[in-house]
Amino acid sequence: MNTPQKQSALGGIENSFRRHRRTRMTAALRSMVRETELSKNDFIYPLFVVPGNKVKKEVSSMPGVFQMSIDETVRECVEVRNLGIPAIILFGIPEHKDEVGSGAYDPNGIIQQVVRAIKKEIPELVVITDVCLCEYTSHGHCGIVKGDEIVNDISIQLLAKEALTHAQAGADIIAPSDMFDGRVKAIRTILDANDFQNIPIMSYAAKYASGFYGPFREAAESTPQFGDRRSHQMDPANSDEALREVQTDIEEGADIVMVKPALSYLDVIRRVKDTFHMPTAAYNVSGEYSMVKAAFKLGWIDEQRVMMEILTSIKRAGADLILTYHAKEAAKLL
Ligand code: PBG
């Protein structure tokens, strides 16, 4: 305890301060005191499914991310499983879009088909389906549009229908991403009424109206044709409101709550985790991924190092689960 104080040119003060560096001197010591450890088990890998056969088309703003047909998606899922990643989340791009997003709740829609194909080949892979209408509507909005309003109550009935068809196809977790009010309750109710009491809901609970979704909208072909999503997604300036959103989703039956995006909202992740102690997910979104890829391409950053630093920061902030396009690359390093 008491280090004898040596007289020196410094007048004996060299031992009177705390030496934080002692536990940083070797790799072994650093790993012993490390507080946050990333694991492959934290990752959920997003996939974009398109109609056709043998389609594998790179998203230009997201190097390394592809739109894939069902056959290619199943192949990709085998690779994901072999890398030790436990879960994927699926986004579908339908053959036809219409005003009411029929493709979303068609029992034979693109997602319903791909879920059946994946569960047949790789039953142990946890298949999560994103529930929203934006990829399926001709106007690109997440629900039904009347005049210039995105109508809440009709939309949540359609989302519930969509969720049910996903569960019937074999989805393991349902993930509503729309941010309409009452959707978790509507989905929980329809799932329970159809004997899917054991299917968890991972709700995009605090989802912000964010500029970081830009590249995703190219990948999912879901850019709104007019207006924006600010009447349902949250204002980036708010964080108390995020707690109210999360609380409502938990009350309505959410089993896992998500904060999205991740990096500009690390404070929100921490507040959500500390307030509710729920399994908490964070979505490391498309724009966050693309920025890393772009800076690397320009030779400005060390890609792997920055990627691991970002993922660690999201976990350190309180996320138990991370949805990330980096999942495969990160899993290879872990
Ligand atoms: C909506 C949805 C979006 C994302 C996931 N689900 C886009 C949006 O709200 O416009 C964004 C994901 C990302 O940017 O990586 N279905």
Side-chain angles (χ1 to χ4, degrees):
M1 272 296 278
N2 294 320
T3 327
Q5 303 269 313
K6 254 190 312 175
Q7 260 327 109
S8 77
L10 286 172
I13 61 151
E14 70 271 34
N15 274 327
S16 66
F17 48 82
R18 294 203 59 165
R19 292 188 182 275
H20 297 288
R21 294 180 57 195
R22 284 188 192 117
T23 50
R24 294 179 201 145
M25 288 297 170
T26 67
L29 281 168
R30 287 192 292 274
S31 77
M32 286 168 72
V33 299
R34 187 160 299 135
E35 299 170 38
T36 308
E37 203 91 53
L38 269 183
S39 151
K40 295 176 193 182
N41 285 322
D42 308 329
F43 296 151
I44 299 170
Y45 188 54
L47 291 169
F48 300 97
V49 191
V50 292
N53 228 310
K54 293 198 169 36
V55 181
K56 189 167 178 181
K57 188 176 158 230
E58 193 163 35
V59 179
S60 65
S61 54
M62 301 177 75
V65 172
F66 299 83
Q67 294 183 325
M68 281 178 274
S69 49
I70 293 174
D71 53 327
E72 293 288 338
T73 304
V74 173
R75 204 195 317 271
E76 181 78 2
C77 286
V78 172
E79 198 186 318
V80 167
R81 190 264 324 263
N82 290 345
L83 283 169
I85 298 164
I88 54 156
I89 182 162
L90 294 167
F91 299 92
I93 296 105
E95 197 101 47
H96 304 290
K97 303 187 186 226
D98 60 29
E99 292 270 295
V100 291
S102 315
Y105 37 90
D106 175 354
N108 232 350
I110 183 104
I111 287 296
Q112 293 79 355
Q113 286 185 45
V114 76
V115 169
R116 286 195 288 266
I118 296 167
K119 291 311 288 186
K120 191 166 155 228
E121 272 325 295
I122 318 137
E124 69 277 19
L125 185 70
V126 175
V127 173
I128 306 172
T129 53
D130 182 87
V131 168
C132 197
L133 296 186
C134 64
E135 298 99 324
Y136 304 90
T137 51
S138 43
H139 43 68
H141 282 294
C142 308
I144 298 304
V145 175
K146 279 205 176 130
D148 52 14
E149 186 183 340
I150 305 161
V151 185
N152 196 87
D153 297 12
I154 317 170
S155 300
I156 64 174
Q157 294 313 319
L158 296 179
L159 293 165
K161 236 170 106 174
E162 179 181 4
L164 178 61
T165 61
H166 290 180
Q168 286 165 334
D172 298 298
I173 299 178
I174 300 296
S177 66
D178 51 284
M179 286 297 281
F180 298 140
D181 293 322
R183 82 286 167 73
V184 173
K185 186 175 181 199
I187 291 171
R188 189 71 268 161
T189 305
I190 201 169
L191 290 179
D192 290 354
N194 287 275
D195 260 351
F196 292 110
Q197 297 88 342
N198 291 330
I199 299 291
I201 296 175
M202 174 170 79
S203 74
Y204 290 66
K207 177 176 177 180
Y208 288 86
S210 170
F212 287 99
Y213 307 151
F216 172 94
R217 292 181 186 168
E218 181 199 339
E221 301 176 15
S222 63
T223 308
Q225 300 304 301
F226 58 88
D228 56 38
R229 309 217 199 289
R230 284 176 227 253
S231 79
H232 45 109
Q233 299 181 348
M234 282 181 54
D235 182 337
N238 296 352
S239 117
D240 284 344
E241 187 187 13
L243 300 185
R244 297 198 292 275
E245 280 281 3
V246 170
Q247 177 163 8
T248 302
D249 281 9
I250 294 169
E251 286 165 2
E252 291 186 10
D255 303 280
I256 302 170
V257 289
M258 193 200 299
V259 174
K260 178 188 172 190
L263 286 186
S264 296
Y265 303 89
L266 293 175
D267 59 322
V268 179
I269 298 172
R270 172 48 63 198
R271 284 190 82 187
V272 166
K273 188 64 190 176
D274 286 349
T275 307
F276 300 105
H277 308 285
M278 287 287 286
T280 303
Y283 203 139
N284 175 213
V285 300
S286 56
E288 299 171 342
Y289 173 86
S290 300
M291 290 195 303
V292 173
K293 292 286 167 184
F296 169 67
K297 216 163 155 179
L298 289 164
W300 291 348
I301 57 166
D302 175 337
E303 184 185 20
Q304 291 189 343
R305 185 170 174 187
V306 167
M307 168 181 78
M308 295 311 259
E309 188 172 335
I310 285 173
L311 295 172
T312 302
S313 76
I314 296 170
K315 184 151 185 194
R316 193 197 61 231
D320 305 292
L321 298 165
I322 306 172
L323 297 91
T324 180
Y325 305 97
H326 292 297
K328 283 171 63 188
E329 296 165 279
K332 285 174 195 163
L333 295 177
L334 285 168

